[in-house]
Amino acid sequence: MLRQVEGSKAVADTVACCRPEVICAYPISPQTHIVEGLSALVKTGELTSCEFVNVESEFAAMSVAIGASAAGARAYTATASQGLLYMSEAVDNAAGLRC
Amino acid sequence: MFQVRIHGRGGQGVVTAAELLSEAAFAEGHHAQAFPSYGSERTGAPVLAFCRIADSAIRVREPVMASDALIIQDETLLGQVDVFAGVRGDGYVLINSTRTFTELGLDDLASDRAPGRLITVPATDLALEHLGRPVPNAVLLGAFAAEAGAITVESVCNAIRGRFPGKVAEKNCVAAVAAYSFVKSQLKEPVGA
């Protein structure tokens, strides 16, 4: 059956299918509905074995994702607009730490 | 493709209105998209939302510039924002207001448009009467179903029920149907009466 969903919800559902183990986000504007959808999936138990971390900034969000990744966990975060700008230093770091 | 632009203010449910409209159209078997455009999130700030309805996949992701229909949720925008920009000559215009075209300064626009293509509906009053809150979005969708006929009022109500919990949904549905009947009865009146 066809179903109409908001783009951000579709992203959240798709990310959930990838079985992330850590999701971190700074939950105010300019955040999107992506992590809101994911937090609901974690809260209701539909997304199991996943820790949802509320951090204090976008910079911290990506830093937690990097740390979780370094420890071997599959990590996810999302942001938008000036949140991405604030995250930018850690974004480069995340890309550089790939191996 | 049928393109709708909704003007309103933060807190009036402009974004939700566009989404409900697209959900109603989607449920009727059409392709549909809806998305908003606004600056800082602030109650009372001018907000725009768009809805496209088509019978084939909608590839375009741009704001609606040339619109087939306009829904104006707040009459105080008329002097502040160029709400009529790009609306087609035979497009539908729906304004939430209790005032006449003359009082709104829309005599020129009214004389240019075919009967039934420019309508006012007291959506805030209907919302207060049926919901107890001045949120005119669902009410205007009921009126829009009557004016433009792009979607049925039943689909609007189903979309409302899919979005809001029981009592809130039912009150909004009653208000939407009331607005639908209001516009239908207005359209039946002979021209010039």
Side-chain angles (χ1 to χ4, degrees):
Chain A
M1 194 189 96
L2 288 173
R3 188 165 60 99
Q4 190 193 31
V5 295
E6 185 198 13
S8 292
K9 177 74 171 98
V11 173
D13 291 346
T14 307
V15 169
C17 289
C18 299
R19 304 180 306 281
E21 293 158 294
V22 173
I23 298 171
C24 36
Y26 185 48
I28 67 162
S29 295
Q31 187 54 263
T32 68
H33 291 166
I34 297 174
V35 290
E36 185 177 328
L38 285 166
S39 69
L41 291 173
V42 172
K43 181 81 175 173
T44 58
E46 285 173 74
L47 182 52
T48 51
S49 310
C50 180
E51 184 162 353
F52 193 98
V53 188
N54 267 330
V55 292
E56 80 280 9
S57 72
E58 283 84 2
F59 180 88
M62 184 53 89
S63 300
V64 168
I66 291 169
S69 215
R74 185 175 289 153
Y76 181 83
T77 186
T79 186
S81 191
Q82 64 267 48
L84 180 60
L85 184 67
Y86 188 14
M87 186 187 278
S88 59
E89 186 184 338
V91 171
D92 290 356
N93 201 353
L97 285 167
R98 285 189 68 174
C99 56
Chain B
M1 182 155 59
F2 190 77
Q3 306 190 91
V4 186
R5 193 168 72 220
I6 306 176
H7 290 265
R9 293 186 180 277
Q12 289 181 332
V14 179
V15 181
T16 306
E19 289 175 1
L20 289 174
L21 187 57
S22 82
E23 284 159 20
F26 184 82
E28 290 184 7
H30 302 291
H31 291 259
Q33 69 171 203
F35 60 97
S37 168
Y38 47 83
S40 57
E41 289 180 45
R42 173 166 63 91
T43 301
V47 174
L48 274 174
F50 314 103
C51 177
R52 288 191 174 92
I53 301 168
D55 289 323
S56 55
I58 302 167
R59 312 297 300 182
V60 63
R61 292 289 186 274
E62 294 164 16
V64 170
M65 306 305 281
S67 59
D68 300 290
L70 274 181
I71 300 176
I72 299 161
Q73 294 206 357
D74 191 311
E75 67 178 50
T76 65
L77 288 168
L78 291 175
Q80 294 191 4
V81 178
D82 188 8
V83 292
F84 301 111
V87 65
R88 285 171 45 148
D90 59 348
Y92 299 93
V93 179
L94 176 67
I95 304 174
N96 172 19
S97 178
T98 55
R99 302 204 287 168
T100 64
F101 297 145
T102 308
E103 287 171 335
L104 291 169
L106 297 177
D107 279 335
D108 286 350
L109 188 78
S111 62
D112 284 349
R113 308 191 81 78
R117 301 292 169 120
L118 174 62
I119 285 179
T120 58
V121 60
T124 303
D125 288 0
L126 285 168
L128 283 169
E129 179 187 341
H130 294 284
L131 319 174
R133 293 181 61 220
V135 185
N137 56 353
V139 187
L140 282 162
L141 292 183
F144 187 69
E147 185 192 18
I151 33 106
T152 65
V153 71
E154 289 78 19
S155 299
V156 168
C157 288
N158 286 335
I160 291 169
R161 290 191 190 100
R163 174 65 67 103
F164 300 109
K167 246 185 186 173
V168 178
E170 288 316 312
K171 284 180 180 175
N172 272 286
C173 288
V174 170
V177 170
Y180 177 86
S181 305
F182 176 87
V183 172
K184 278 289 181 199
S185 67
Q186 277 213 323
L187 291 174
K188 272 188 196 138
E189 281 177 22
V191 179

PDB file of all heavy atoms in Angstrom, chain A residues 11-23 38 41-42 46-51 68 72-77:
ATOM      1  N   VAL A  11      13.412   9.700   6.040  1.00  0.00           N
ATOM      2  CA  VAL A  11      14.835   9.586   6.362  1.00  0.00           C
ATOM      3  C   VAL A  11      14.996   8.858   7.695  1.00  0.00           C
ATOM      4  O   VAL A  11      15.818   7.938   7.831  1.00  0.00           O
ATOM      5  CB  VAL A  11      15.507  10.984   6.427  1.00  0.00           C
ATOM      6  CG1 VAL A  11      16.939  10.864   6.932  1.00  0.00           C
ATOM      7  CG2 VAL A  11      15.493  11.651   5.061  1.00  0.00           C
ATOM      8  N   ALA A  12      14.191   9.260   8.687  1.00  0.00           N
ATOM      9  CA  ALA A  12      14.275   8.640  10.013  1.00  0.00           C
ATOM     10  C   ALA A  12      14.018   7.133   9.920  1.00  0.00           C
ATOM     11  O   ALA A  12      14.757   6.328  10.500  1.00  0.00           O
ATOM     12  CB  ALA A  12      13.267   9.293  10.966  1.00  0.00           C
ATOM     13  N   ASP A  13      12.979   6.746   9.179  1.00  0.00           N
ATOM     14  CA  ASP A  13      12.656   5.326   9.036  1.00  0.00           C
ATOM     15  C   ASP A  13      13.790   4.573   8.348  1.00  0.00           C
ATOM     16  O   ASP A  13      14.106   3.424   8.696  1.00  0.00           O
ATOM     17  CB  ASP A  13      11.353   5.155   8.240  1.00  0.00           C
ATOM     18  CG  ASP A  13      10.142   5.633   9.034  1.00  0.00           C
ATOM     19  OD1 ASP A  13      10.280   5.832  10.257  1.00  0.00           O
ATOM     20  OD2 ASP A  13       9.070   5.818   8.426  1.00  0.00           O
ATOM     21  N   THR A  14      14.396   5.215   7.356  1.00  0.00           N
ATOM     22  CA  THR A  14      15.491   4.585   6.620  1.00  0.00           C
ATOM     23  C   THR A  14      16.725   4.424   7.509  1.00  0.00           C
ATOM     24  O   THR A  14      17.376   3.372   7.510  1.00  0.00           O
ATOM     25  CB  THR A  14      15.847   5.431   5.378  1.00  0.00           C
ATOM     26  OG1 THR A  14      14.654   5.652   4.635  1.00  0.00           O
ATOM     27  CG2 THR A  14      16.869   4.733   4.509  1.00  0.00           C
ATOM     28  N   VAL A  15      17.025   5.468   8.265  1.00  0.00           N
ATOM     29  CA  VAL A  15      18.157   5.390   9.207  1.00  0.00           C
ATOM     30  C   VAL A  15      17.918   4.266  10.216  1.00  0.00           C
ATOM     31  O   VAL A  15      18.832   3.491  10.533  1.00  0.00           O
ATOM     32  CB  VAL A  15      18.364   6.749   9.927  1.00  0.00           C
ATOM     33  CG1 VAL A  15      19.340   6.606  11.088  1.00  0.00           C
ATOM     34  CG2 VAL A  15      18.854   7.797   8.950  1.00  0.00           C
ATOM     35  N   ALA A  16      16.687   4.150  10.698  1.00  0.00           N
ATOM     36  CA  ALA A  16      16.351   3.102  11.666  1.00  0.00           C
ATOM     37  C   ALA A  16      16.613   1.721  11.070  1.00  0.00           C
ATOM     38  O   ALA A  16      17.047   0.803  11.778  1.00  0.00           O
ATOM     39  CB  ALA A  16      14.896   3.236  12.102  1.00  0.00           C
ATOM     40  N   CYS A  17      16.374   1.574   9.767  1.00  0.00           N
ATOM     41  CA  CYS A  17      16.613   0.295   9.090  1.00  0.00           C
ATOM     42  C   CYS A  17      18.107  -0.050   9.066  1.00  0.00           C
ATOM     43  O   CYS A  17      18.476  -1.214   8.868  1.00  0.00           O
ATOM     44  CB  CYS A  17      16.079   0.336   7.656  1.00  0.00           C
ATOM     45  SG  CYS A  17      14.299   0.346   7.549  1.00  0.00           S
ATOM     46  N   CYS A  18      18.955   0.962   9.232  1.00  0.00           N
ATOM     47  CA  CYS A  18      20.412   0.748   9.231  1.00  0.00           C
ATOM     48  C   CYS A  18      20.927   0.350  10.614  1.00  0.00           C
ATOM     49  O   CYS A  18      22.142   0.222  10.802  1.00  0.00           O
ATOM     50  CB  CYS A  18      21.128   2.005   8.745  1.00  0.00           C
ATOM     51  SG  CYS A  18      20.686   2.475   7.066  1.00  0.00           S
ATOM     52  N   ARG A  19      20.040   0.173  11.580  1.00  0.00           N
ATOM     53  CA  ARG A  19      20.353  -0.270  12.938  1.00  0.00           C
ATOM     54  C   ARG A  19      21.460   0.559  13.592  1.00  0.00           C
ATOM     55  O   ARG A  19      22.492   0.020  14.000  1.00  0.00           O
ATOM     56  CB  ARG A  19      20.744  -1.758  12.932  1.00  0.00           C
ATOM     57  CG  ARG A  19      19.693  -2.661  12.320  1.00  0.00           C
ATOM     58  CD  ARG A  19      20.100  -4.110  12.330  1.00  0.00           C
ATOM     59  NE  ARG A  19      21.394  -4.348  11.703  1.00  0.00           N
ATOM     60  CZ  ARG A  19      21.611  -4.409  10.388  1.00  0.00           C
ATOM     61  NH1 ARG A  19      20.599  -4.238   9.553  1.00  0.00           N
ATOM     62  NH2 ARG A  19      22.814  -4.648   9.917  1.00  0.00           N
ATOM     63  N   PRO A  20      21.281   1.865  13.741  1.00  0.00           N
ATOM     64  CA  PRO A  20      22.284   2.668  14.446  1.00  0.00           C
ATOM     65  C   PRO A  20      22.310   2.300  15.929  1.00  0.00           C
ATOM     66  O   PRO A  20      21.288   1.899  16.490  1.00  0.00           O
ATOM     67  CB  PRO A  20      21.779   4.104  14.252  1.00  0.00           C
ATOM     68  CG  PRO A  20      20.314   3.963  14.091  1.00  0.00           C
ATOM     69  CD  PRO A  20      20.095   2.654  13.372  1.00  0.00           C
ATOM     70  N   GLU A  21      23.490   2.403  16.536  1.00  0.00           N
ATOM     71  CA  GLU A  21      23.621   2.058  17.964  1.00  0.00           C
ATOM     72  C   GLU A  21      23.693   3.308  18.838  1.00  0.00           C
ATOM     73  O   GLU A  21      23.417   3.239  20.037  1.00  0.00           O
ATOM     74  CB  GLU A  21      24.869   1.189  18.165  1.00  0.00           C
ATOM     75  CG  GLU A  21      24.715  -0.175  17.496  1.00  0.00           C
ATOM     76  CD  GLU A  21      26.041  -0.848  17.199  1.00  0.00           C
ATOM     77  OE1 GLU A  21      26.800  -0.328  16.357  1.00  0.00           O
ATOM     78  OE2 GLU A  21      26.333  -1.870  17.833  1.00  0.00           O
ATOM     79  N   VAL A  22      24.130   4.414  18.237  1.00  0.00           N
ATOM     80  CA  VAL A  22      24.149   5.696  18.957  1.00  0.00           C
ATOM     81  C   VAL A  22      23.576   6.775  18.036  1.00  0.00           C
ATOM     82  O   VAL A  22      23.981   6.887  16.879  1.00  0.00           O
ATOM     83  CB  VAL A  22      25.588   6.091  19.370  1.00  0.00           C
ATOM     84  CG1 VAL A  22      25.605   7.498  19.968  1.00  0.00           C
ATOM     85  CG2 VAL A  22      26.167   5.082  20.353  1.00  0.00           C
ATOM     86  N   ILE A  23      22.615   7.533  18.558  1.00  0.00           N
ATOM     87  CA  ILE A  23      22.103   8.699  17.826  1.00  0.00           C
ATOM     88  C   ILE A  23      22.232   9.899  18.762  1.00  0.00           C
ATOM     89  O   ILE A  23      21.819   9.827  19.923  1.00  0.00           O
ATOM     90  CB  ILE A  23      20.627   8.523  17.422  1.00  0.00           C
ATOM     91  CG1 ILE A  23      20.485   7.324  16.476  1.00  0.00           C
ATOM     92  CG2 ILE A  23      20.099   9.782  16.739  1.00  0.00           C
ATOM     93  CD1 ILE A  23      19.047   6.935  16.195  1.00  0.00           C
ATOM     94  N   LEU A  38      13.443   9.720  14.948  1.00  0.00           N
ATOM     95  CA  LEU A  38      14.296   8.661  15.498  1.00  0.00           C
ATOM     96  C   LEU A  38      14.141   8.561  17.015  1.00  0.00           C
ATOM     97  O   LEU A  38      14.113   7.452  17.569  1.00  0.00           O
ATOM     98  CB  LEU A  38      15.761   8.923  15.126  1.00  0.00           C
ATOM     99  CG  LEU A  38      16.114   8.617  13.666  1.00  0.00           C
ATOM    100  CD1 LEU A  38      17.462   9.220  13.294  1.00  0.00           C
ATOM    101  CD2 LEU A  38      16.120   7.104  13.411  1.00  0.00           C
ATOM    102  N   LEU A  41      11.178   6.602  17.761  1.00  0.00           N
ATOM    103  CA  LEU A  41      11.376   5.172  17.511  1.00  0.00           C
ATOM    104  C   LEU A  41      12.160   4.523  18.651  1.00  0.00           C
ATOM    105  O   LEU A  41      11.898   3.380  19.033  1.00  0.00           O
ATOM    106  CB  LEU A  41      12.118   4.956  16.182  1.00  0.00           C
ATOM    107  CG  LEU A  41      11.329   5.296  14.917  1.00  0.00           C
ATOM    108  CD1 LEU A  41      12.226   5.201  13.681  1.00  0.00           C
ATOM    109  CD2 LEU A  41      10.122   4.365  14.762  1.00  0.00           C
ATOM    110  N   VAL A  42      13.139   5.265  19.211  1.00  0.00           N
ATOM    111  CA  VAL A  42      13.915   4.735  20.347  1.00  0.00           C
ATOM    112  C   VAL A  42      13.024   4.651  21.581  1.00  0.00           C
ATOM    113  O   VAL A  42      13.011   3.647  22.302  1.00  0.00           O
ATOM    114  CB  VAL A  42      15.152   5.633  20.622  1.00  0.00           C
ATOM    115  CG1 VAL A  42      15.844   5.218  21.916  1.00  0.00           C
ATOM    116  CG2 VAL A  42      16.133   5.573  19.459  1.00  0.00           C
ATOM    117  N   GLU A  46      10.763   0.640  19.141  1.00  0.00           N
ATOM    118  CA  GLU A  46      10.799   0.078  17.784  1.00  0.00           C
ATOM    119  C   GLU A  46      12.227  -0.019  17.282  1.00  0.00           C
ATOM    120  O   GLU A  46      12.550  -0.867  16.449  1.00  0.00           O
ATOM    121  CB  GLU A  46       9.973   0.964  16.829  1.00  0.00           C
ATOM    122  CG  GLU A  46       8.480   0.817  16.985  1.00  0.00           C
ATOM    123  CD  GLU A  46       7.739   1.846  16.140  1.00  0.00           C
ATOM    124  OE1 GLU A  46       7.691   1.680  14.916  1.00  0.00           O
ATOM    125  OE2 GLU A  46       7.205   2.812  16.725  1.00  0.00           O
ATOM    126  N   LEU A  47      13.075   0.897  17.783  1.00  0.00           N
ATOM    127  CA  LEU A  47      14.495   0.871  17.437  1.00  0.00           C
ATOM    128  C   LEU A  47      15.238   0.441  18.699  1.00  0.00           C
ATOM    129  O   LEU A  47      15.431   1.220  19.623  1.00  0.00           O
ATOM    130  CB  LEU A  47      14.944   2.264  16.975  1.00  0.00           C
ATOM    131  CG  LEU A  47      16.390   2.429  16.517  1.00  0.00           C
ATOM    132  CD1 LEU A  47      16.765   1.403  15.472  1.00  0.00           C
ATOM    133  CD2 LEU A  47      16.590   3.830  15.963  1.00  0.00           C
ATOM    134  N   THR A  48      15.625  -0.818  18.734  1.00  0.00           N
ATOM    135  CA  THR A  48      16.225  -1.371  19.950  1.00  0.00           C
ATOM    136  C   THR A  48      17.747  -1.304  19.871  1.00  0.00           C
ATOM    137  O   THR A  48      18.324  -1.062  18.813  1.00  0.00           O
ATOM    138  CB  THR A  48      15.803  -2.844  20.144  1.00  0.00           C
ATOM    139  OG1 THR A  48      16.057  -3.541  18.930  1.00  0.00           O
ATOM    140  CG2 THR A  48      14.336  -2.953  20.495  1.00  0.00           C
ATOM    141  N   SER A  49      18.392  -1.533  21.004  1.00  0.00           N
ATOM    142  CA  SER A  49      19.850  -1.510  21.108  1.00  0.00           C
ATOM    143  C   SER A  49      20.424  -0.217  20.556  1.00  0.00           C
ATOM    144  O   SER A  49      21.414  -0.216  19.826  1.00  0.00           O
ATOM    145  CB  SER A  49      20.490  -2.691  20.357  1.00  0.00           C
ATOM    146  OG  SER A  49      19.883  -3.887  20.735  1.00  0.00           O
ATOM    147  N   CYS A  50      19.751   0.877  20.871  1.00  0.00           N
ATOM    148  CA  CYS A  50      20.233   2.175  20.393  1.00  0.00           C
ATOM    149  C   CYS A  50      20.146   3.181  21.524  1.00  0.00           C
ATOM    150  O   CYS A  50      19.126   3.279  22.197  1.00  0.00           O
ATOM    151  CB  CYS A  50      19.389   2.642  19.215  1.00  0.00           C
ATOM    152  SG  CYS A  50      19.936   4.241  18.573  1.00  0.00           S
ATOM    153  N   GLU A  51      21.260   3.896  21.734  1.00  0.00           N
ATOM    154  CA  GLU A  51      21.253   4.928  22.765  1.00  0.00           C
ATOM    155  C   GLU A  51      21.055   6.287  22.110  1.00  0.00           C
ATOM    156  O   GLU A  51      21.797   6.657  21.196  1.00  0.00           O
ATOM    157  CB  GLU A  51      22.567   4.914  23.543  1.00  0.00           C
ATOM    158  CG  GLU A  51      22.560   5.908  24.687  1.00  0.00           C
ATOM    159  CD  GLU A  51      23.638   5.615  25.725  1.00  0.00           C
ATOM    160  OE1 GLU A  51      24.307   4.570  25.617  1.00  0.00           O
ATOM    161  OE2 GLU A  51      23.803   6.447  26.621  1.00  0.00           O
ATOM    162  N   ALA A  68      31.651   7.741  19.437  1.00  0.00           N
ATOM    163  CA  ALA A  68      30.937   6.453  19.382  1.00  0.00           C
ATOM    164  C   ALA A  68      31.494   5.598  18.254  1.00  0.00           C
ATOM    165  O   ALA A  68      31.694   4.381  18.398  1.00  0.00           O
ATOM    166  CB  ALA A  68      29.443   6.709  19.173  1.00  0.00           C
ATOM    167  N   GLY A  72      33.568   1.863  17.944  1.00  0.00           N
ATOM    168  CA  GLY A  72      33.047   0.736  17.177  1.00  0.00           C
ATOM    169  C   GLY A  72      31.541   0.713  17.001  1.00  0.00           C
ATOM    170  O   GLY A  72      30.995  -0.248  16.456  1.00  0.00           O
ATOM    171  N   ALA A  73      30.857   1.747  17.449  1.00  0.00           N
ATOM    172  CA  ALA A  73      29.397   1.763  17.315  1.00  0.00           C
ATOM    173  C   ALA A  73      29.001   2.466  16.015  1.00  0.00           C
ATOM    174  O   ALA A  73      29.702   3.358  15.537  1.00  0.00           O
ATOM    175  CB  ALA A  73      28.767   2.493  18.504  1.00  0.00           C
ATOM    176  N   ARG A  74      27.879   2.033  15.457  1.00  0.00           N
ATOM    177  CA  ARG A  74      27.349   2.735  14.283  1.00  0.00           C
ATOM    178  C   ARG A  74      26.593   3.964  14.795  1.00  0.00           C
ATOM    179  O   ARG A  74      25.650   3.819  15.578  1.00  0.00           O
ATOM    180  CB  ARG A  74      26.421   1.802  13.506  1.00  0.00           C
ATOM    181  CG  ARG A  74      25.917   2.409  12.208  1.00  0.00           C
ATOM    182  CD  ARG A  74      25.117   1.402  11.416  1.00  0.00           C
ATOM    183  NE  ARG A  74      25.986   0.369  10.870  1.00  0.00           N
ATOM    184  CZ  ARG A  74      25.589  -0.857  10.597  1.00  0.00           C
ATOM    185  NH1 ARG A  74      24.354  -1.226  10.842  1.00  0.00           N
ATOM    186  NH2 ARG A  74      26.427  -1.735  10.077  1.00  0.00           N
ATOM    187  N   ALA A  75      27.033   5.142  14.371  1.00  0.00           N
ATOM    188  CA  ALA A  75      26.482   6.380  14.948  1.00  0.00           C
ATOM    189  C   ALA A  75      25.790   7.230  13.889  1.00  0.00           C
ATOM    190  O   ALA A  75      26.132   7.163  12.711  1.00  0.00           O
ATOM    191  CB  ALA A  75      27.598   7.182  15.608  1.00  0.00           C
ATOM    192  N   TYR A  76      24.832   8.020  14.340  1.00  0.00           N
ATOM    193  CA  TYR A  76      24.089   8.889  13.429  1.00  0.00           C
ATOM    194  C   TYR A  76      23.756  10.208  14.111  1.00  0.00           C
ATOM    195  O   TYR A  76      23.456  10.254  15.300  1.00  0.00           O
ATOM    196  CB  TYR A  76      22.780   8.218  12.982  1.00  0.00           C
ATOM    197  CG  TYR A  76      21.990   9.073  12.020  1.00  0.00           C
ATOM    198  CD1 TYR A  76      22.281   9.079  10.658  1.00  0.00           C
ATOM    199  CD2 TYR A  76      20.979   9.916  12.481  1.00  0.00           C
ATOM    200  CE1 TYR A  76      21.595   9.903   9.780  1.00  0.00           C
ATOM    201  CE2 TYR A  76      20.284  10.731  11.606  1.00  0.00           C
ATOM    202  CZ  TYR A  76      20.601  10.719  10.263  1.00  0.00           C
ATOM    203  OH  TYR A  76      19.914  11.535   9.399  1.00  0.00           O
ATOM    204  N   THR A  77      23.820  11.275  13.335  1.00  0.00           N
ATOM    205  CA  THR A  77      23.274  12.549  13.793  1.00  0.00           C
ATOM    206  C   THR A  77      22.754  13.311  12.580  1.00  0.00           C
ATOM    207  O   THR A  77      23.054  12.949  11.436  1.00  0.00           O
ATOM    208  CB  THR A  77      24.315  13.388  14.553  1.00  0.00           C
ATOM    209  OG1 THR A  77      23.664  14.558  15.082  1.00  0.00           O
ATOM    210  CG2 THR A  77      25.472  13.827  13.665  1.00  0.00           C
TER     211      THR A  77
END
